[in-house]
Amino acid sequence: ENAGLDVVKDCAFVLVAGGLGERLGYHGIKVALPTTLASKVCYLQMYIEQILALQAASNARAGNSDAAGTTRRIPLAIMTSDDTHAATVALLEANNYFGMQK
């Protein structure tokens, strides 16, 4: 785990989010589907929260701090399609990017 935390600062995540949820009986983008009915947390939020937690752990291990301006951000690239782009942007903007910097 520590080896991963040491190198993740040099990585990025790519999310392929080009599909609609029609096959699943959902009228919207798949990344907006709730992960559980109880939490109402959508998949995109869950992905971003996991990346932010990994980013925080990596920075803590490296001794970086926000006050010093030395934290490293782990980039997230979201690949969308013509069918999902506007709805994905709207979901991110409506939720203040789930805490991730734009």
Side-chain angles (χ1 to χ4, degrees), residues 49-60:
E49 287 176 353
Q50 292 294 315
I51 293 167
L52 291 175
L54 186 58
Q55 178 178 285
S58 176
N59 279 308

Side-chain angles (χ1 to χ4, degrees), residues 36-97:
T36 68
L37 295 175
S39 74
K40 306 289 188 206
V41 171
C42 70
Y43 278 96
L44 186 55
Q45 179 179 353
M46 182 190 69
Y47 296 142
I48 289 175
E49 287 176 353
Q50 292 294 315
I51 293 167
L52 291 175
L54 186 58
Q55 178 178 285
S58 176
N59 279 308
R61 178 159 167 76
N64 296 339
S65 67
D66 287 326
T70 57
T71 57
R72 296 284 308 261
R73 289 188 295 158
I74 299 173
L76 168 63
I78 303 174
M79 295 176 58
T80 60
S81 67
D82 290 341
D83 292 333
T84 63
H85 184 76
T88 302
V89 171
L91 178 63
L92 287 164
E93 289 176 347
N95 292 283
N96 197 29
Y97 294 85

Side-chain angles (χ1 to χ4, degrees), residues 5-55:
L5 290 174
D6 291 340
V7 298
V8 75
K9 67 184 180 347
D10 299 319
C11 296
F13 285 87
V14 176
L15 175 62
V16 179
L20 298 171
E22 294 168 338
R23 275 186 308 127
L24 306 171
Y26 181 72
H27 301 290
I29 55 175
K30 285 190 242 178
V31 293
L33 277 165
T35 55
T36 68
L37 295 175
S39 74
K40 306 289 188 206
V41 171
C42 70
Y43 278 96
L44 186 55
Q45 179 179 353
M46 182 190 69
Y47 296 142
I48 289 175
E49 287 176 353
Q50 292 294 315
I51 293 167
L52 291 175
L54 186 58
Q55 178 178 285

